[in-house]
Amino acid sequence: MADEKRFQVFVSSTYTDLAAERAAVIQAILRMDHLPAGMEMFPSADESQWELIEQVIDQSDYYVVVVAGRYGSIIDAEGISYTEKEYDYAVKSGIPVLGFVHKNPGQILASNTDLDKTAQELLDKFRDKVKSKPVNFFESPAELGGLVVTSLMQAIKKKPGIGWVRGDKAMTVEQEREIVSLREQIATLREQKAEAESALVEDVADLAQGDQRVTISVLSQSSISGRDDVEFVAVATTWDEIFADVGPLLVDESPEHEAEKRLATHLYHRASDEEKQTLDSVYYGKIGMPYDDWDIVKTQFRALGLIDKGQKKRPIQDKNKYLSLTDRGDRHLTQLLAVKSGVDPGKVDDSENDDSEY
């Protein structure tokens, strides 16, 4: 579908003096399989045609203006030319404008320049206006055609327009209805998911949570092959203290083993000096957790509606299990970690330096 899209490009300039340049621009646009539009479409350039010109500019995806040696016919009531009026309208409408200015105005044939001083002054001001935005400079019709192709390709890449498609390539009424139906199904599924999550966390009053204490085992096992040295200690903490440490990992989803590792580290730092010595006594010990204890914590947070399985799509070779915060979990984590008024997070309280409290 993207390859079938054609963009409409409005070409604005004076006419008789730039006939060859306009032809080069139009041919460049046609070679790119896009649709040129401009004064050739209008029987005359007068006020009665301006509404039609506005309409065509509004329907265009890009606007090209070419400035050389003539200013153009001046609109008596406004004191500016149609080319400048078209330019001002395109800029005001937010259409991407591609400006092309003659590199050496002094070398333009006298027959293709304004001899009237007022027109020359207006042209100089208009040229400066166009040059106030990024422009390309040209000397010949052939060079101008090449610059238009390059500039238009860059504009389409940076700011893709709406474009046009053939009637037989556009969506049919049935396809549009199918898309609407699919959107309605997605909305229904989201509502059902929200209801299921709500039911899951509807009544948690009887569940252990918050600042209630919980005792969990942490282990240290030798990482040396062939050794089965292992030590266990039971460490007291609270559900909120666990969640405050593990939760940040799950903000953007995390492998389950990383969350388990973070919990083991939390427990180690909460252990007393004597318990740490027991864990540290294992030769090349590696901190971990018994599977049962980890499952208890994970299941509890799911029951509380704070975490859920990860939902992001991943490569098929990724065999990890992922966990993520629910909306409820994200709100609860924010409440736990947000700095309260009057609290300096960088200041350490001496009363908290006792390792037995971690």
Side-chain angles (χ1 to χ4, degrees), residues 44-63:
S44 62
D46 54 33
E47 284 300 318
S48 65
Q49 294 298 318
W50 178 248
E51 286 187 9
L52 176 58
I53 293 172
E54 281 185 335
Q55 214 173 58
V56 176
I57 293 176
D58 287 337
Q59 293 171 349
S60 297
D61 299 285
Y62 304 96
Y63 174 92

Side-chain angles (χ1 to χ4, degrees), residues 217-290:
S217 295
V218 59
L219 62 83
S220 178
Q221 187 169 16
S222 177
S223 58
I224 303 299
S225 177
R227 297 183 65 106
D228 56 1
D229 307 28
V230 62
E231 290 287 352
F232 293 83
V233 297
V235 180
T237 182
T238 71
W239 294 106
D240 272 354
E241 286 171 347
I242 294 174
F243 195 67
D245 261 3
V246 177
L249 267 183
L250 312 184
V251 170
D252 195 33
E253 298 194 5
S254 171
E256 189 173 316
H257 65 84
E258 291 292 338
E260 181 181 351
K261 182 179 176 181
R262 177 70 67 90
L263 176 54
T265 302
H266 165 84
L267 295 170
Y268 177 82
H269 287 294
R270 292 289 299 175
S272 65
D273 288 343
E274 184 178 347
E275 291 167 337
K276 287 179 181 175
Q277 288 177 2
T278 299
L279 295 171
D280 294 342
S281 67
V282 176
Y283 188 66
Y284 281 95
K286 183 178 180 181
I287 298 298
M289 291 189 62

